[in-house]
Amino acid sequence: EIVVTQSPATLYVSPGERATLSCRASQSVSSDLAWYQQKPGQAPRLLIYAASTRATGIPARFSGSGSGTEFTLTISSLQSEDFAVYYCQQYNNWPPITFGQGTRLEIK
Amino acid sequence: QVQLVESGGGVVQPGRSLRLSCVASGFPFRGYAMHWVRRAPGKGPEWVGVIWADGSNKYYGDSVKGRFTISRDNSKNTVYLQMNSLRAEDTAFYYCARDRWNSAELDYWGQGTLVTVSS
């Protein structure tokens, strides 16, 4: 099973600044990686799939990059509504699918 | 708009069974594979399993294989998760999610239903 590791566990960033979240896979997953956002009491929301493709309705300030084992989610200018928990998920040669433990993005 | 609404969660004793339901609306349900994902308190999400659009194929995560069964009724726009032989470690929020294109990219999720396994 491919293990997915996210870092950092918690990231403190000021509104208007850039946030960079990392995701590492234990073996190559090509570009089969997605990012999700979850706020308390809400359903998870797909942000990015295929490592760098924004899902429908996702603002351009969200971008994904990487391939193989190293991936990054960048939020270019943080808005108040962006403070949440972010998960990455790999789906190379699925099943199974595996998720990271999450990065909590908090206001500095 | 796409909506997924889970129900059936609650408190159950170890060893007992529970069935969760997920009712879909706002899209042609019979055309999409559906997944179940769970998230235990303080942990990351864990994939439970998937059922193909026509119900012809089902796959499960190792931790639930042999105990959990996914089914669907396309006439009712509903997917089910039958959970047997429940354990304390099955305690989690359970979410159903739509598969974007048989790709395991989960483009819509429900809000989840909480299952607590405790004596």
Side-chain angles (χ1 to χ4, degrees), chain A residues 35-99:
Chain A
W35 290 94
Y36 300 87
Q37 176 194 68
Q38 189 172 26
K39 300 178 183 179
Q42 295 189 17
R45 177 189 182 196
L46 177 65
L47 300 175
I48 301 286
Y49 62 90
S52 61
T53 303
R54 272 190 304 277
T56 303
I58 300 304
R61 65 180 182 274
F62 291 91
S63 63
S65 64
S67 67
T69 62
E70 300 284 344
F71 300 86
T72 300
L73 174 70
T74 302
I75 311 170
S76 60
S77 179
L78 278 165
Q79 309 296 304
S80 57
E81 61 266 29
D82 299 335
F83 293 94
V85 180
Y86 292 83
Y87 298 102
C88 59
Q89 170 225 335
Q90 72 78 26
Y91 49 98
N92 184 250
N93 289 328
W94 72 285
I97 297 164
T98 50
F99 292 84

Side-chain angles (χ1 to χ4, degrees), chain A residues 1 34 36 38 41-46 49-50 56 87 89 91 94-102, chain B residues 35 37 39 42-47 50 52 59 62 95 99-100 102-107 109-111:
Chain A
E1 179 177 288
Y36 300 87
Q38 189 172 26
Q42 295 189 17
R45 177 189 182 196
L46 177 65
Y49 62 90
T56 303
Y87 298 102
Q89 170 225 335
Y91 49 98
W94 72 285
I97 297 164
T98 50
F99 292 84
Q101 292 289 90
Chain B
H35 296 250
V37 177
R39 184 172 59 80
K43 293 192 172 184
E46 179 186 14
W47 180 71
V50 62
W52 253 223
Y59 300 97
D62 285 344
Y95 302 90
D99 193 310
R100 193 180 72 85
N102 274 7
S103 55
E105 296 154 352
L106 309 181
D107 63 351
W109 298 58
Q111 300 233 358

Side-chain angles (χ1 to χ4, degrees), chain B residues 1-4 24-29 77 98:
Chain B
Q1 71 280 24
V2 173
Q3 276 200 307
L4 299 169
S25 60
F27 67 99
F29 179 73
N77 285 3
R98 189 182 85 166

